Amino acid sequence: MRLPARQSHDLRYNTVHVPAPGHYLIAAGVTNDPSIPKVADDLRLVTEYFTRELNYTQALPELVDSPTSDGFRKSLSAWFRAPERHPDDRIVLYFSGHGELDPQDNAHYLILSDSDPEDLPGSAFETSLLAKIPFAGQARTLM
């Protein structure tokens, strides 16, 4: 019995590109606060360790140098919603700076370069958003 010849197909033109999962470090900090003078050194050391020793890719490098609250939120939101994100990406978010609990609403906030300690809900970054923003996109693992 003779079997039919095997057919080969060039699938290069019929495939959808799905990005491979990556390992990313998002390091952010408030380097312009004189009460915490070692933030820049801290961020440099963390970034060097993750990128050189653990082969992570630094994402959003503009957040290293005193982002505003709105800039921080918008940058994270856009990055996590980008089509390049993969459900198996491993993402480390590292923040060097102050945080504060607001007694009025019992919410925790990151104090960014333009935050007003007298108006945390209106000027700081509410940390509960870190449980929402990454997962609005495809991310599933945030450390």
Side-chain angles (χ1 to χ4, degrees), residues 19 22-27 59-60 62-63 71-94 125 129-143:
H23 293 81
Y24 300 98
L25 169 68
I26 300 172
L60 301 174
E62 66 274 15
L63 297 181
F72 186 72
R73 182 183 53 78
K74 286 181 178 178
S75 292
L76 288 176
S77 183
W79 190 82
F80 278 105
R81 288 179 176 269
E84 297 83 21
R85 298 292 66 80
H86 189 282
D88 294 328
D89 284 346
R90 298 291 183 245
I91 303 152
V92 173
L93 176 60
Y94 182 84
F125 181 84
L129 292 175
L130 293 175
K132 297 175 185 174
I133 290 173
F135 306 109
Q138 292 199 46
R140 297 292 172 256
T141 305
L142 178 67
M143 299 178 263

Side-chain angles (χ1 to χ4, degrees), residues 2 9-10 15 21 30-32 40 55 70 89 100 106 111 113 124 128-129 132 136 143:
R2 187 168 183 193
H9 295 281
D10 185 355
T15 60
V30 183
T31 58
N32 64 355
N55 294 317
D70 193 51
D89 284 346
E100 194 167 321
N106 205 31
I111 308 299
S113 66
S128 68
L129 292 175
K132 297 175 185 174
M143 299 178 263

Side-chain angles (χ1 to χ4, degrees), residues 86-133:
H86 189 282
D88 294 328
D89 284 346
R90 298 291 183 245
I91 303 152
V92 173
L93 176 60
Y94 182 84
F95 179 77
S96 185
H98 290 299
E100 194 167 321
L101 186 65
D102 183 16
Q104 299 297 326
D105 64 4
N106 205 31
H108 186 267
Y109 295 89
L110 297 180
I111 308 299
L112 294 156
S113 66
D114 63 340
S115 298
D116 177 359
E118 301 300 318
D119 180 24
L120 294 175
S123 67
F125 181 84
E126 188 174 349
T127 55
S128 68
L129 292 175
L130 293 175
K132 297 175 185 174
I133 290 173

